Amino acid sequence: MVTKLGNSGHDQALKVSLEGLLNDLVIEKPKPLTLSEAGQPAKTVNISIDAPQREEMEQHIAKKLDQAKMAIWCHKGATRQEAIPVTKPTESYNRQSVTTDGNYQPRDYTAEKIIKNEQKSDRKGVGGRYADTSDVASIKGWNKTYARFSHAGTISLDDRGRPLNPTGATGVEGRGELGLWGPNHAADNIITRTNDQGELEVLLIFRKRDQQWALPGGMVEGEKDILNVALKELAEEALDTGDDSGKKNLSKEAIESKMQELKQFECFQKAQNTYKGVVNDPRNTDNAWMETESWAVHLTPDVADQMKIQAGDDAGDAKWTAVTEENLNGLFASHSQIIRTAPMIQEALKKH
């Protein structure tokens, strides 16, 4: 297999990640694999994996490829044609292949449910409406307010006034199934504890819509305390609030009470902001994309004992999961990479 890499930011990020993968692998029996730069002779690396090592090496390769994907996706200097497309589209539409020959013709798509929930003016909707107006040219404040700010850098607009995804082309223009033009901000929780066997565990929720495990989290609405948003989503999706109305119809009072309870614990007061950036979300388009901030909290034993887990909101299940490479692979969107930004997670993985 020969992979030709150019001099673009994406290619260089991929080259570094792939070379790191090749250098880390155990070399025993010859099995050629070549990697070449544009215009340069191919370099041959002999790689083999014995049967007893197969599972361990497959996990190692998966981790390296995840790191390569994250490096490419979050690279700031990418052009639209260089970006790697999202690989898991929603059922509503199929993404076209992204080409690099200058003949880029994406489909323009905005879900009907988004159009029905459009606000009449910039971020001042009423009646539960959550989506921007279709008149994107009327939207002001790009790069000035949090709602119109990207962690990846300055947002550029095309000749129609549409914001351009800073990570590149996706094969789809418009807003897809996202409510806002440009960045759609979210907050995610990386909550860990040590179980009775001394193993580190992380709290995960099961996304019913995507049928994947993920970090508990949700959307940021307007300019708010992002950690506060993260705690709200944690209470809604994964914790028993003691609300008699049931998890599907939580009262605001029950959620607020649980949030205030969490804020009293020192471990939540010391929450670490471990990641800010774009995520490789299946809903991303050329003009609307997901960004998140992750917050890591390691529960002390007494707090862990008080945390009663119960799935709610759009989560089908919630559970404590042992921190292993296998368990952290295959999570929703970029959560497999984001979860690894927490120091406690990194330390636990070193022991496996």
Side-chain angles (χ1 to χ4, degrees), residues 180-342:
L180 307 185
W181 293 102
N184 288 252
H185 290 283
D188 291 306
N189 297 274
I190 307 174
I191 310 297
T192 56
R193 73 173 186 181
T194 302
N195 63 22
D196 294 339
Q197 290 73 45
E199 302 170 321
L200 189 70
E201 295 180 326
V202 64
L203 181 60
L204 298 178
I205 57 101
F206 189 73
R207 292 175 61 97
K208 290 183 288 188
R209 171 180 171 175
D210 302 286
Q211 294 294 292
Q212 284 182 285
W213 289 95
L215 296 168
M219 303 303 297
V220 175
E221 299 176 357
E223 290 192 62
K224 296 181 178 180
D225 182 329
I226 309 305
L227 176 57
N228 205 53
V229 175
L231 295 181
K232 173 179 177 292
E233 295 298 333
L234 178 62
E236 288 182 343
E237 293 189 331
L239 301 183
D240 181 1
T241 62
D243 186 355
D244 293 335
S245 65
K247 291 292 284 187
K248 292 181 181 286
N249 188 29
L250 287 173
S251 68
K252 293 182 179 180
E253 292 76 13
I255 295 173
E256 182 64 29
S257 175
K258 177 57 67 172
M259 291 170 58
Q260 293 304 321
E261 178 185 332
L262 295 177
K263 290 178 181 180
Q264 300 306 310
F265 297 126
E266 185 177 2
C267 53
F268 280 94
Q269 295 172 12
K270 295 182 178 180
Q272 292 180 280
N273 188 193
T274 65
Y275 178 79
K276 293 181 181 181
V278 181
V279 291
N280 188 0
D281 191 284
R283 296 164 291 184
N284 288 357
T285 72
D286 290 4
N287 311 118
W289 59 92
M290 287 296 303
E291 301 197 16
T292 195
E293 295 189 33
S294 62
W295 294 84
V297 176
H298 182 65
L299 305 182
T300 58
D302 59 325
V303 175
D305 288 342
Q306 297 179 56
M307 294 274 284
K308 306 301 181 183
I309 305 305
Q310 182 178 339
D313 197 19
D314 59 352
D317 197 4
K319 68 177 182 179
W320 289 105
T321 303
V323 175
T324 66
E325 291 286 359
E326 181 179 5
N327 289 345
L328 300 191
N329 289 333
L331 301 182
F332 173 72
S334 295
H335 288 197
S336 290
Q337 294 83 17
I338 293 171
I339 201 170
R340 289 177 167 86
T341 62

Side-chain angles (χ1 to χ4, degrees), residues 8 29 74 166 204 286:
S8 71
K29 298 177 182 178
C74 296
L204 298 178
D286 290 4

Side-chain angles (χ1 to χ4, degrees), residues 4 8 43 69 84 87 105 123 125-126 164 170 216 318:
K4 292 184 177 180
S8 71
K43 178 174 65 175
K69 182 187 294 184
I84 291 181
T87 57
Q105 297 180 328
R123 307 306 296 137
V126 294
L164 295 174
T170 65

